[in-house]
Amino acid sequence: MTEPAQYPDLVDRIVNLSKRRGFIFPSAEIYGGFRSTYDYGPLGVLLLRNVKDAWWRSMVQLRDDVVGIDAAILSSPRIWEASGHLANFTDPLVDCRNCHERWRADKIEGTCPNCGSADLTEPRAFNLMFKTYAGPVEDEATVAYLRPETAQGMFVNFMNVLTTTRKKPPFGIAQVGKSFRNEITPQNFVFRTREFEQMEMEYFVPPDEADTWFHYWLEERMRWYLDLGIPADHLRLRHHEADELSHYSAATADVEFLFPWGWDELEGIANRTDYDLKAHAAHSGERLEYFDQASGERYVPYVIEPAAGATRTMMAFLLAAYREDEVGGERRTVLALDPRLAPYQVAVLPLSKNDTLVPLSREVLGLLQPVAVCDFDVTQSIGRRYRRQDEVGTPFCVTVDFESLEDRAVTVRHRDTTEQVRVPIDRVAQEIAQRLRP
Ligand code: ATP
């Protein structure tokens, strides 16, 4: 395999492939689109789910110290008052007096990226939360917010989880789900959108262990991206300088990916101290503490938070997987996705549309479906069908040909090497399951 491609127009190629093959569509496209929102198509929903499942597997399933929750998106203003989001979750907004475009002041360099004018208004604080009303009456009493992050769901449920699971620090609460931010300038496809998905975990620890756990999670999270195929030279940790830290943070580092436009954030890992639990305790009047019965000690845990974006990370996996190479004198596009992330893990392909091959092909499909996510494709020449599967990252193609009717064996073709091996039908599910195992 060749190395990740360095195409100057790589983002355009990914946008194009996403649309053409059913990963990501512009939302409300038949009405001309809607304000940088996107819909995930048949392949995108599979890839995105695999990213989220891989995260959940590593953060929850393979551990005994982390549990999950799924908190409400529609949330009480009291949460956001306590967390500081109502007062502080703002970006500096400037208007261009010449062309009237609006920009995030910290993302531009003093001139309007649209028309080049330097005649900009003074920055003003723009709150990024989406406000709505819960109930038929639109007044102050019914104000609700769409959550701008999943993290607060873990803090407000801290006591619920503690008492129902009997966990004790160090332990974590994980959540995957949608968040909403009224970004001033959504950009770079699904890198920055107003509706997106996050994968966040709050890890509650004794205060004197916070620094050790902070470094533990830096390493764990880097390992996750590398294990799923982000090349080491496209991934780095960037520690925040003291003046860049959020008001609640004792230390923060970002996991950054080398996007075509430069290094940019995939995930923030922060030592949030006891800021959040103390803020919610003060505003709610509830005790949000851990009582250690063995030592008789009572304390407010510190929190280490690895906070990643699912949709943004999915885009990074697509960019990192994109290749163009040549096999048998023919150019092809390949997504070299890890088999755990690939939308389809196997494609079952009858060599010809000829009716005699279809029943056996369906039998093979039935054997494979319980062990892998399968596509079934009978149209076009076999070469073109291989190309189509390469382009969406399917690691294995299983071809049923006329000989299969005689010898009850099929050809298994590997995406990266294009190497083909003959496998008996009664062993094919086992063989594929084995090769899919990490
Ligand atoms: P930025 O500085 O890029 O606005 P942030 O530092 O505010 O992001 P966090 O609040 O730390 O982001 O959110 C954690 C993760 O959620 C980010 O690392 C990113 O992967 C994802 N994320 C945040 N905002 C967006 C967005 N508008 N679109 C897609 N993903 C996002």
Side-chain angles (χ1 to χ4, degrees), residues 85 89 91 104 106-107 128 148-149 179-183 186-187 189-200 225 240 248 252 254-255 264-269 272 305-313:
H85 281 76
F89 196 58
D91 276 340
R104 206 174 126 176
D106 59 330
K107 294 278 178 189
L128 298 181
E149 61 174 37
S179 293
F180 300 81
R181 297 181 187 180
N182 199 1
E183 299 279 0
Q187 59 191 351
F189 197 37
V190 295
F191 176 82
R192 185 181 304 287
T193 47
R194 296 194 173 103
E195 174 175 349
F196 56 97
E197 272 196 272
Q198 291 188 303
M199 312 183 285
E200 299 193 296
Y225 292 97
H240 286 206
Y248 53 73
T252 299
D254 291 342
V255 177
D264 223 329
E265 173 181 336
L266 288 180
E267 167 163 356
I269 301 162
R272 298 180 68 117
E305 174 194 74
T311 38
R312 189 179 283 188
T313 297

Side-chain angles (χ1 to χ4, degrees), residues 54 87 111 116 123 133 190 198 208 217 271 274 331 382 384:
T111 54
Y133 298 93
V190 295
Q198 291 188 303
D208 61 351
W217 283 110
N271 173 355
D274 53 9
R331 286 196 71 71
I382 190 70
R384 289 185 71 166

